[in-house]
Amino acid sequence: MGDPVKAGLAEAATPRLYRRNAFRVTGLPTDADRPTARRLRNKVTSMLEVGADVDLGHDLDVDAAEVARAFDLVLGDPRRRLVDELFWLWDTGSATCGCAQSVHRDHDEAVRAHSRALDLEARDELTDDELDELEQLWPEAGRLWGRALRRAAFWDHVRHRVAALDDRQLDESVVDLLRDEMPVVLLAPLVQLAAAADADRGWLADRVREWPAPAGLADDLLERAAEPLYEEVRAHLKDASDELAADDPAAAAAIVSDVVLDLLDQLDDLAPPDRHRRTASIRDDTAIALNNCATKLVETVGSKGAGNARKWLGTAAELARDPQAVTLIERNQAAITELADAMAMIRKQVRELVALGRRDIARRMLKQVRARAAGMAGAEEIDEMLRDLGVHVPAPRQPRWSEPARGRTGWDGVKRLFIGVWRAVALLLFAALVLAGVRWVFGDDGTVDLFSHASSGNAPVGTCVATEDGWEGDKRQVPSVPCEEQHWGEVLAYVPVGDNPSTHPGDEVVRQRAGYECAWSQARQDLPFDTYTTRYAYPGEDSWNDGGKSSENYATCVVHRVDNAPLAAHNLVDADRERADDLTLTRDLHSIDIGSNPPVGSCVADKGNLDTNAHEVAFARCDRPHWGEVIGYPVLYRPEEQWPGDAAVYAAADAACLRAAVDLGLDAAYHYHTTWPGSSWWTDTPDKPKYAACTASRADGTPVQGSLK
């Protein structure tokens, strides 16, 4: 008996709930009797057949077939007609139900608000006023429908219509069915809009959760709407599993990073993990997938894969919620860090022994390490070192793993690296070398590597560079001398100039980052800038790690005297010197050479200092409280362009800095500031481009800690 009603409710429960309503399409009142409906149908049909314009009381774009369908519904099964009556206007002016006027008014206000919201959502573009209206309509429609459905008189009107339609298949059970299903039908269009949306998905899902509905209904409908996303995530995790089974952890991680994470963001909008256990579970499965990629990578290439493995595990840690998964990932993060640190220590110590001509000791120590770490991830690196020393070693064995029973992802076990062993074996080798009285000397020919693929493969901070000419040559074979002898420079630091991996930002940006970070390293050593300066080596675009490489994006800083005079016969650089938290660095913000300025994103300590002299600005590290941030160095004029006058230069600089602020996404809570070139730039440096220096700060002047964004 309830089937036509259920079918009608299912058909109505879409964003076209009101758009296809039979009474809205035909213009008939919801209490129209059958003779009235037939007369109007005959009239409208005749007019449509001869191509005449028909005024149905609305501006909907409908065709003859849709109008015919609507009339057939009104004149057809009364049970189906009753559904459309519920979702259009009751205050027809000819009502005989005896309801209080407020019953019809409350119902019609709900219909108008809800239908207007759905009509606006159906448009491709909305004006600002319409967007503001829509923001008000959704909560208003929910409030009005909630009020209408709570009134007993609402359901008395429905009972009156059941009696008026006078069909033996309509009785009180239909009223009960409608009472149960109305909340679902009213909420379903909004759920479908949220599931289909792109930019507004989260906003629409929030409106779903705010809609007055029975407890749990909104979350159930949203999770049901998210089912395609759940299935898609599962399918891509299976693809990643296949790549990992084929021993390609990079390809597996790329699927997760490039595809699955975006799908999880969409899921978080519809079914956030705090409210939906299914989302929390699939996030844990994704975290385990990344964990397995990281451990497989380290299994394959050892500490050379530590950079990517740490990145994947960092993402996994952000996703994981299950305590077992969190603990597993944390242990693997610690294990990989320990492996990388231990390998760096071992490599340095082996180079030290080789430099002293004690290859026999190096071989013996490495064999001890190999015996203790046999079968572990990273053991193949020890074998490579032994082979480099002329020792024959057998084919590598597979590393040992701990595989907890939990494995709901369907992957080949959840993997955890052993921790603790590498630290022990590295310290064993270190202790042996200390007992042997070894000092740091590198290379049989007296040269050191200061720019290997990773900073851990270089000579340590404090290594002494023999001559300026030696530094200017091959950075992989720089002549070195003991620091007890006079020398030209010292290794000051190895500083990051980009994430590993990351897109190459351009040589000028890399040069800026290298110069700025090396200057900070000099400041931390308390070496005055009027006496000492730094030179640096940084990766070009061809050697930049933009993915698929094990190299690090870093710069090597070497400090020397400004006048290039020899340094005294002792160490100038203290590798263990602690960083001062309140340290500032004075730099030129508007030098003739843009590349000599602090890079975009550098943090200005205070505005007063900038206002006084843009060529001597105090900078702070961005994790300390500061006034503002450098947001750009836009070029205004090419070298060949003539001086256009102060007003034109200022206008061009101000417009360029405004664009930089807009591109950064800064709103009214922030102010941008402009430093522009004067006429002397055209006379003194005609061959240089002219640019502005743009900074930004909070509008209220309060300090910033971290990035402005």
Side-chain angles (χ1 to χ4, degrees):
M1 181 166 56
D3 287 348
V5 178
K6 287 184 177 179
L9 290 171
E11 183 182 353
T14 74
R16 292 167 63 85
L17 169 64
Y18 302 100
R19 169 64 181 76
R20 302 186 75 240
N21 184 278
F23 294 97
R24 186 182 187 186
V25 171
T26 61
L28 283 166
T30 50
D31 58 359
D33 57 25
R34 295 175 72 83
T36 301
R38 288 193 190 95
R39 284 194 298 272
L40 183 61
R41 179 180 65 176
N42 293 337
K43 176 183 176 181
V44 169
T45 301
S46 299
M47 295 177 70
L48 289 174
E49 286 176 351
V50 298
D53 292 333
V54 180
D55 183 7
L56 296 175
H58 58 73
D59 58 356
L60 297 176
D61 183 16
V62 295
D63 57 25
E66 190 166 1
V67 173
R69 169 201 167 276
F71 276 114
D72 288 343
L73 191 151
V74 173
L75 291 167
D77 192 320
R79 293 171 295 175
R80 180 62 185 84
R81 166 183 170 149
L82 181 62
V83 173
D84 276 38
E85 287 189 21
L86 289 174
F87 298 109
W88 201 239
L89 307 177
W90 287 356
D91 192 6
T92 64
S94 59
T96 61
C97 58
C99 298
Q101 187 177 7
S102 63
V103 175
H104 293 186
R105 184 190 66 239
D106 289 352
H107 167 268
D108 291 358
E109 286 179 356
V111 168
R112 288 190 179 94
H114 200 195
S115 63
R116 173 64 175 166
L118 289 172
D119 286 349
L120 289 175
E121 290 285 0
R123 296 186 188 177
D124 291 333
E125 294 183 3
L126 297 177
T127 66
D128 289 344
D129 288 342
E130 287 171 336
L131 288 171
D132 291 340
E133 179 187 5
L134 189 59
E135 190 168 351
Q136 301 299 320
L137 278 172
W138 279 121
E140 181 69 1
R143 183 187 67 80
L144 292 172
W145 265 118
R147 181 182 68 181
L149 294 178
R150 286 194 300 270
R151 296 189 65 173
F154 177 99
W155 299 106
D156 288 340
H157 175 89
V158 177
R159 291 186 182 92
H160 166 76
R161 291 303 302 154
V162 166
L165 290 170
D166 193 21
D167 188 288
R168 62 186 180 82
Q169 298 183 93
L170 282 171
D171 59 19
E172 185 65 25
S173 66
V174 173
V175 178
D176 292 339
L177 174 63
L178 293 171
R179 191 193 299 269
D180 291 339
E181 295 299 321
M182 281 282 286
V184 177
V185 176
L186 290 168
L187 195 48
L190 186 53
V191 173
Q192 292 171 35
L193 288 171
D198 290 322
D200 294 332
R201 182 187 297 107
W203 185 86
L204 288 166
D206 286 341
R207 304 293 79 76
V208 173
R209 286 183 276 269
E210 292 170 3
W211 189 276
L217 176 61
D219 284 340
D220 288 345
L221 291 177
L222 285 168
E223 187 163 313
R224 197 180 308 164
E227 182 61 34
L229 287 173
Y230 287 118
E231 292 178 359
E232 194 173 358
V233 171
R234 290 288 180 203
H236 286 299
L237 286 179
K238 175 60 170 62
D239 292 341
S241 172
D242 293 341
E243 293 289 353
L244 193 62
D247 293 330
D248 195 344
I255 292 173
V256 176
S257 300
D258 297 344
V259 182
V260 174
L261 295 184
D262 180 64
L263 294 173
L264 289 181
D265 286 342
Q266 297 177 49
L267 263 178
D268 285 356
D269 287 336
L270 289 179
D274 290 336
R275 302 173 67 98
H276 297 263
R277 292 180 61 187
R278 190 176 178 188
T279 303
S281 175
I282 208 165
R283 285 168 64 95
D284 282 330
D285 291 346
T286 305
I288 293 301
L290 286 171
N291 170 83
N292 288 356
C293 290
T295 53
K296 183 67 174 179
L297 182 65
V298 173
E299 170 191 346
T300 305
V301 302
S303 66
K304 298 174 185 176
N308 281 332
R310 286 193 189 105
K311 181 181 69 175
W312 300 340
L313 287 173
T315 303
E318 294 173 4
L319 292 171
R321 291 177 172 243
D322 180 271
Q324 282 183 279
V326 171
T327 299
L328 171 76
I329 291 162
E330 288 176 348
R331 288 179 177 176
N332 280 338
Q333 286 175 313
I336 288 172
T337 297
E338 185 173 87
L339 171 63
D341 291 346
M343 284 299 175
M345 181 186 295
I346 291 169
R347 289 182 189 281
K348 288 180 179 180
Q349 303 294 348
V350 168
R351 281 198 300 265
E352 178 73 14
L353 283 169
V354 170
L356 293 174
R358 303 306 305 271
R359 289 175 176 263
D360 56 331
I361 296 178
R363 294 187 189 103
R364 187 164 63 248
M365 293 298 100
L366 285 175
K367 287 178 180 179
Q368 291 182 35
V369 172
R370 186 174 183 274
R372 289 174 175 265
M376 291 189 62
E380 174 60 15
E381 293 181 76
I382 301 299
D383 288 351
E384 288 178 6
M385 288 184 243
L386 282 168
R387 292 187 190 101
D388 290 341
L389 293 173
V391 178
H392 173 73
V393 293
R397 288 180 264 173
Q398 290 298 313
R400 297 194 304 262
W401 300 104
S402 169
E403 300 190 6
R406 195 179 92 104
R408 64 165 178 247
T409 62
W411 293 52
D412 297 332
V414 181
K415 297 185 176 180
R416 176 172 67 85
L417 290 162
F418 281 105
I419 59 176
V421 177
W422 278 115
R423 181 179 302 162
V425 297
L427 290 177
L428 170 71
L429 181 57
F430 181 78
L433 294 173
V434 170
L435 289 174
V438 175
R439 61 186 178 91
W440 289 105
V441 180
F442 295 81
D444 291 333
D445 57 356
T447 63
V448 293
D449 189 346
L450 297 185
F451 205 58
S452 68
H453 74 283
S455 58
S456 60
N458 294 334
V461 170
T463 297
C464 293
V465 177
T467 64
E468 179 183 7
D469 289 342
W471 164 253
E472 294 297 336
D474 184 357
K475 302 300 187 294
R476 304 294 297 271
Q477 291 183 310
V478 179
S480 175
V481 294
C483 293
E484 294 79 13
E485 301 173 15
Q486 281 192 348
H487 48 280
W488 168 79
E490 295 184 17
V491 177
L492 177 65
Y494 301 104
V495 296
V497 290
D499 292 334
N500 303 307
S502 60
T503 302
H504 187 259
D507 282 337
E508 183 171 85
V509 173
V510 178
R511 180 161 67 94
Q512 279 185 318
R513 292 176 182 172
Y516 186 67
E517 294 299 332
C518 288
W520 271 105
S521 298
Q522 181 176 336
R524 291 192 193 99
Q525 291 287 333
D526 199 24
L527 299 173
F529 286 85
D530 58 351
T531 304
Y532 302 97
T533 188
T534 59
R535 298 192 196 182
Y536 39 88
Y538 56 89
E541 186 172 2
D542 57 339
S543 58
W544 186 269
N545 182 359
D546 56 3
K549 299 178 183 177
S550 60
S551 58
E552 295 178 4
N553 298 323
Y554 75 99
T556 299
C557 312
V558 171
V559 63
H560 62 92
R561 288 183 60 89
V562 171
D563 59 6
N564 278 325
L567 296 174
H570 59 75
N571 261 114
L572 182 70
V573 175
D574 180 3
D576 297 323
R577 189 180 184 90
E578 294 293 329
R579 167 186 170 179
D581 287 337
D582 58 350
L583 189 66
T584 60
L585 176 67
T586 300
R587 301 293 282 175
D588 191 340
L589 181 64
H590 204 214
S591 68
I592 294 301
D593 179 11
I594 299 178
S596 299
N597 297 335
V600 172
S602 303
C603 295
V604 180
D606 64 82
K607 185 175 187 296
N609 182 259
L610 173 62
D611 289 341
T612 301
N613 185 354
H615 301 297
E616 293 183 1
V617 178
F619 284 82
R621 299 308 285 185
C622 292
D623 58 358
R624 305 296 300 169
H626 54 276
W627 165 78
E629 181 176 319
V630 179
I631 62 172
Y633 296 108
V635 173
L636 309 176
Y637 301 96
R638 297 184 299 274
E640 66 271 20
E641 293 183 273
Q642 299 300 309
W643 161 250
D646 284 321
V649 173
Y650 173 76
D654 190 69
C657 289
L658 173 59
R659 284 195 300 272
V662 170
D663 290 343
L664 193 61
L666 301 183
D667 55 24
Y670 299 92
H671 281 172
Y672 70 91
H673 312 271
T674 307
T675 303
W676 63 95
S679 59
S680 61
W681 283 47
W682 274 259
T683 57
D684 296 344
T685 56
D687 59 338
K688 294 287 187 180
K690 315 307 184 289
Y691 70 94
C694 308
T695 52
S697 64
R698 286 199 174 128
D700 59 7
T702 57
V704 181
Q705 188 157 338
S707 173
L708 285 179
K709 295 177 68 178

